Amino acid sequence: MEIVSITLEKLLPEVFSGMEETSRIRESRIWEVPSFTIEKGCRICIHAESGAGKSSLLSFIYGNRIDYLGSIFFNHKNIKNLNIPEWCDIRKNNIALLPQEMRLFPELTVLENIYLKNNLTGKKTHGEIEAMLSLLGIEDKKDTKVGKLSIGQQQRVAIVRTLCQPFDFIFLDEPVSHLDSENNKIAAQLIQKEAKENQAGIISTSVGNHLLLDNPEYVKL
C-alpha cells in the first residue's frame, strides 16, 4: 500500500489529557488541532522543547504506541484497524524510522548493524552502502563495533541503516543532535537525495539543532 498522506485528527498523548488549555497544547500546530495532514514529498522540521512529545508522536504514527487520544489515518484508513501483516509491510516498504535512541547493537560492527535491515529489504548494494558511509565520513569505521564509536558517528550509521529500505515517508527523531553543521549538511543532502528517488516525505524533529533540509516547513509541536 503506497501511503500518500498521513492525517492526524485531534491527536493528543493520553499523558497530556487535562492539559488542553495550557500554552503547550494551545500553541501546538499538531496536538488537538481538528486535522493536520502531511503529504508525500513534504519537507517538515518539527521543533519543540524536551518532553513536548516529539518521540511519542513518531511512535504513534509508526504504530509502536497506541496511548493517544484522537485518530491517525494512512490514506484515510485509521491505523488502529491495521493488522500485524499490514504493519510489517508498511514498516518494510512505506515508513522508515530513525528513533532518537537509534537502537543500534553495540556488539555488532557498523556493517553488521546496517545489514540487519538491508538483508530484509535488499534495497541497497554493498557498493551503495559503502558509498553512503564514505559520504558521511565513516567508511573507515565499517568493521568497527558500534559501541566503540562516538554518538555522532553512531547517528551517521543509523542514518545509513534507515535509508536501506523503500519508503513513502521517513521519520527522523533528532537525527543530527550530535553533528556539527558541515556533517549535518552532508547528512541532510543524502537524506533528501534518497527521499527524492522515492518521491517521499521527510519529517525530522529537534529541540534546536535542525536537520538542514532545503526550504523545509517548520512546525511547532
Side-chain angles (χ1 to χ4, degrees):
M1 174 183 70
E2 180 186 20
I3 299 175
V4 297
S5 67
I6 300 173
T7 300
L8 318 175
E9 290 190 356
K10 297 184 178 180
L11 189 67
L12 189 70
E14 288 183 355
V15 71
F16 289 173
S17 180
M19 299 173 60
E20 289 84 351
E21 297 305 314
T22 63
S23 59
R24 170 184 287 187
I25 305 303
R26 286 189 287 104
E27 294 174 5
S28 172
R29 287 185 55 195
I30 293 177
W31 299 139
E32 271 291 292
V33 297
S35 181
F36 182 86
T37 298
I38 54 178
E39 297 181 343
K40 194 172 178 182
C42 67
R43 301 287 184 271
I44 296 176
C45 288
I46 297 175
H47 60 99
E49 62 190 46
S50 180
K54 300 181 302 299
S55 298
S56 297
L57 172 64
L58 302 192
S59 292
F60 297 155
I61 296 173
Y62 199 66
N64 283 340
R65 290 173 52 182
I66 59 172
D67 54 321
Y68 60 85
L69 307 174
S71 302
I72 302 172
F73 299 90
F74 293 165
N75 301 344
H76 311 292
K77 182 174 183 178
N78 194 316
I79 68 171
K80 285 189 174 179
N81 295 328
L82 295 173
N83 57 39
I84 292 176
E86 287 174 320
W87 271 119
C88 290
D89 183 66
I90 285 169
R91 291 167 181 166
K92 182 179 178 182
N93 298 299
N94 304 104
I95 297 180
L97 172 67
L98 195 169
Q100 183 179 339
E101 65 275 19
M102 295 180 283
R103 297 177 189 163
L104 297 170
F105 293 88
E107 72 277 13
L108 300 181
T109 68
V110 167
L111 283 178
E112 287 171 339
N113 268 277
I114 292 169
Y115 271 98
L116 285 175
K117 170 167 278 192
N118 201 63
N119 285 340
L120 292 174
T121 65
K123 175 65 173 175
K124 297 294 184 181
T125 66
H126 185 76
E128 288 171 331
I129 290 172
E130 290 205 334
M132 288 192 288
L133 292 174
S134 178
L135 180 66
L136 294 173
I138 52 172
E139 184 182 13
D140 62 329
K141 304 296 183 183
K142 64 184 180 181
D143 296 316
T144 302
K145 290 185 178 181
V146 163
K148 294 184 178 181
L149 302 182
S150 70
I151 299 300
Q153 290 170 331
Q154 289 181 28
Q155 286 187 320
R156 283 173 274 178
V157 174
I159 287 170
V160 172
R161 184 189 61 183
T162 304
L163 295 172
C164 287
Q165 69 168 90
F167 56 89
D168 299 316
F169 291 90
I170 183 168
F171 290 92
L172 307 126
D173 194 6
E174 298 191 40
V176 293
S177 59
H178 286 74
L179 297 188
D180 57 58
S181 61
E182 184 59 31
N183 280 304
N184 185 332
K185 290 177 184 176
I186 294 170
Q189 291 305 310
L190 173 61
I191 292 165
Q192 288 181 123
K193 173 181 174 292
E194 295 292 321
K196 183 177 181 180
E197 291 177 1
N198 287 274
Q199 297 181 314
I202 302 172
I203 299 89
S204 178
T205 73
S206 82
V207 294
N209 188 25
H210 297 296
L211 180 65
L212 296 175
L213 301 173
D214 298 331
N215 303 312
E217 176 185 2
Y218 291 98
V219 175
K220 183 177 181 180
L221 184 61

